[in-house]
Amino acid sequence: GAVVSQHPSWVICKSGTSVKIECRSLDFQATTMFWYRQFPKQSLMLMATSNEGSKATYEQGVEKDKFLINHASLTLSTLTVTSAHPEDSSFYICSAPRLGGYGSYEQYFGPGTRLTVT
Amino acid sequence: GENVEQHPSTLSVQEGDSAVIKCTYSDSASNYFPWYKQELGKGPQLIIDIRSNVGEKKDQRIAVTLNKTAKHFSLHITETQPEDSAVYFCAASAGGKSTFGDGTTLTVKP
C-alpha cells in the first residue's frame, strides 16, 4: 500500500524559533498534499493544501506567513512553523491523496509530528 | 463547505459485543468515505473505506454502510476486542480533501 512519511516524528523548540516538518510520499507521486493540525482530544483540522509548482491554499483563520508551505517536488512537501509560540504546540499530520477506483481519491496519512514549543 | 457530524463521542462496550458509530455529511459532492483508527500519540490509520457507488463493504469484523440519499454512513465492529479500543474518525472526501468528524472514543472492556 501507499506510504507517506514525516520527519521529524517529534520536536521540541524554544519560543521564537522556526521548525520545519517534511512530508514525503514514498511510492507514489502527489501533486497535492494536505496539512492538518490536531490538538489534544480534538479532531483533525485542515490547515492548508500544498500544491506542487504553485502556492499553497490556506484555510480560513490559518496565517500563511506563520505556516510556510513549500511543495518542492512531486514527493515532498514541507511545513515551516515560523516564530513558534507555545500555542503552536500540536500534532501536525500530512496526507497525500492517490487516485483509486471509480475516480475517487484515497488519502494516505503520515505518522504525524508532535511539536512542543517551550 | 462540507460538514461532518459523528456520534456518539464516547462508546463503551463489553468484549465480544458490537459497536456502531454513525456519521452524517452535508456536501453531495463527497464521494469517498474513509474511517480511521487513531491510537494515542500516533497518526490516523485507515481501517476501511467506501465509495459513493457502493452501499456496503465488509472486511472481517469491520463493516461500513453508506446511504447517499440520507447522507449518512456508519461503521460496525463486531466481536469487539480490547485492542479495538481507540479513537475512531469518519471523514467525507471530495478530490482528496477530507473533512473529519469529531471522533468517537471506543473503549472495549475485557
Side-chain angles (χ1 to χ4, degrees):
Chain A
V3 177
V4 174
S5 70
Q6 268 184 254
H7 178 80
S9 56
W10 61 270
V11 58
I12 301 173
C13 71
K14 292 188 176 181
S15 187
T17 61
S18 295
V19 174
K20 180 186 284 189
I21 303 169
E22 293 185 349
C23 178
R24 293 181 186 271
S25 56
L26 297 183
D27 54 355
F28 67 101
Q29 294 181 332
T31 56
T32 301
M33 291 184 179
F34 300 98
W35 287 95
Y36 295 83
R37 181 168 53 184
Q38 186 180 34
F39 291 109
K41 298 188 185 299
Q42 294 188 23
S43 188
L44 287 78
M45 298 300 296
L46 181 65
M47 297 175 65
T49 303
S50 173
N51 304 299
E52 192 269 336
S54 64
K55 292 183 179 180
T57 306
Y58 290 83
E59 296 299 303
Q60 193 173 10
V62 178
E63 301 173 59
K64 61 180 181 181
D65 294 331
K66 180 171 184 60
F67 298 100
L68 301 180
I69 291 173
N70 181 29
H71 202 128
S73 73
L74 288 172
T75 59
L76 173 63
S77 174
T78 60
L79 168 68
T80 301
V81 183
T82 63
S83 187
H85 288 100
E87 55 265 31
D88 297 324
S89 298
S90 186
F91 197 47
Y92 292 86
I93 307 171
C94 71
S95 74
R98 189 174 73 171
L99 191 63
Y102 302 99
S104 61
Y105 282 89
E106 298 171 356
Q107 199 166 163
Y108 295 91
F109 283 89
T113 297
R114 183 163 304 283
L115 170 64
T116 302
V117 185
T118 62
Chain B
E2 176 66 275
N3 181 49
V4 177
E5 295 190 358
Q6 182 173 346
H7 299 280
S9 56
T10 61
L11 179 59
S12 181
V13 300
Q14 207 66 37
E15 182 177 1
D17 288 349
S18 295
V20 180
I21 302 171
K22 299 182 178 181
C23 289
T24 60
Y25 64 101
S26 61
D27 190 350
S28 56
S30 291
N31 62 358
Y32 176 63
F33 305 90
W35 285 87
Y36 298 93
K37 176 183 181 182
Q38 187 176 26
E39 297 175 342
L40 199 62
K42 297 183 180 180
Q45 295 294 315
L46 177 71
I47 56 171
I48 195 166
D49 57 19
I50 191 166
R51 293 173 179 78
S52 59
N53 63 324
V54 176
E56 185 175 358
K57 184 177 178 180
K58 188 174 181 181
D59 182 5
Q60 299 183 340
R61 297 187 296 111
I62 297 173
V64 59
T65 59
L66 170 65
N67 184 326
K68 281 193 303 180
T69 303
K71 292 193 179 70
H72 64 70
F73 55 113
S74 301
L75 175 71
H76 304 252
I77 305 175
T78 59
E79 301 173 22
T80 54
Q81 301 167 4
E83 50 265 38
D84 294 329
S85 296
V87 179
Y88 291 82
F89 291 98
C90 65
S93 301
K97 183 176 176 180
S98 294
T99 301
F100 287 82
D102 288 339
T104 296
T105 301
L106 173 64
T107 302
V108 180
K109 294 185 252 185

